[in-house]
Amino acid sequence: MADSTGKTALMLAAEYASAKCISLLVAQEAGMVDATGTTALMFAAERGFDQCVSLLVAQEAGKSDSSGKTALMRAAECGSETLVSLLIDKEAGMTDLGGRTALMLSAMRGFDKSVALLRAKEVGFVDSTGKTALMHSDLRGCEEGVSGNATLMSAHLSGRLECVSLLLPYEESYGRRPR
């Protein structure tokens, strides 16, 4: 049974951090999605509910909503290292409809610890606009892509050097032309 938006009791339990209710409902409702393709795991991940994610990950990991977002991407957007660690082996490498990975989403928000966890699995991806995670890390709020020293200058001006320093060694050859 679901409400008018497709939300089930399991999704509501995940949304409100009710691990006890999740334990009771997971067998009957795991895998169901609401009108936007969102699962209970995604609701728990975007709210940072570690215990709820732990209860749902085995049954619901690997799915994406109507925008292509996964639970890992939602955890990365929140900067939750614990949740990123729980979901990384199940969902790393997946991209949303814009070609963005969890690493890019975490880098956009400057969550250095999540970036450190995700970089080994997702560095090297390029989104549909041609941006890498490094570019996303220091272009927050900018509409035009830049590269090289301009990118690092932008990072310096926005105080995001830690995130850039984590990604630079992995992407330093991106966009370079052979001599």
Side-chain angles (χ1 to χ4, degrees):
M1 179 158 237
D3 70 11
S4 62
T5 65
K7 272 190 187 173
T8 64
L10 180 63
M11 292 172 197
L12 291 170
E15 204 170 19
Y16 292 99
S18 180
K20 191 172 187 174
C21 288
I22 289 172
S23 295
L24 296 171
L25 295 166
V26 70
Q28 294 82 20
E29 296 186 6
M32 292 181 166
V33 298
D34 72 2
T36 64
T38 305
T39 65
L41 176 63
M42 293 174 197
F43 282 114
E46 74 186 5
R47 286 163 177 78
F49 299 146
D50 305 357
Q51 188 179 9
C52 297
V53 168
S54 294
L55 293 169
L56 293 162
V57 68
Q59 294 85 1
E60 294 195 342
K63 296 180 185 277
S64 56
D65 67 14
S66 59
S67 68
K69 252 188 203 174
T70 65
L72 176 60
M73 291 174 194
R74 291 166 190 251
E77 285 181 313
C78 296
S80 174
E81 302 158 58
T82 303
L83 294 182
V84 167
S85 295
L86 284 169
L87 295 162
I88 196 167
D89 289 331
K90 304 275 188 189
E91 296 186 348
M94 295 177 75
T95 60
D96 68 11
L97 296 182
R100 292 175 296 266
T101 64
L103 174 61
M104 291 174 189
L105 296 171
S106 191
M108 280 182 205
R109 286 155 181 82
F111 294 127
D112 303 334
K113 292 179 182 177
S114 294
V115 166
L117 292 169
L118 289 160
R119 69 179 176 194
K121 301 261 187 179
E122 294 188 344
V123 80
F125 280 76
V126 178
D127 73 11
S128 60
T129 65
K131 292 184 180 100
T132 66
L134 174 61
M135 291 172 178
H136 281 294
S137 74
D138 52 60
L139 293 177
R140 186 172 83 179
C142 298
E143 292 302 316
E144 296 179 38
V146 295
S147 62
N149 290 336
T151 302
L152 294 176
M153 180 63 76
S154 171
H156 173 72
L157 293 173
S158 63
R160 315 223 24 237
L161 292 178
E162 180 63 26
C163 200
V164 171
S165 70
L166 289 167
L167 293 167
L168 187 60
Y170 296 91
E171 295 187 6
E172 60 186 312
S173 65
Y174 178 80
R176 289 195 183 160
R177 294 185 181 139
R179 294 182 189 209

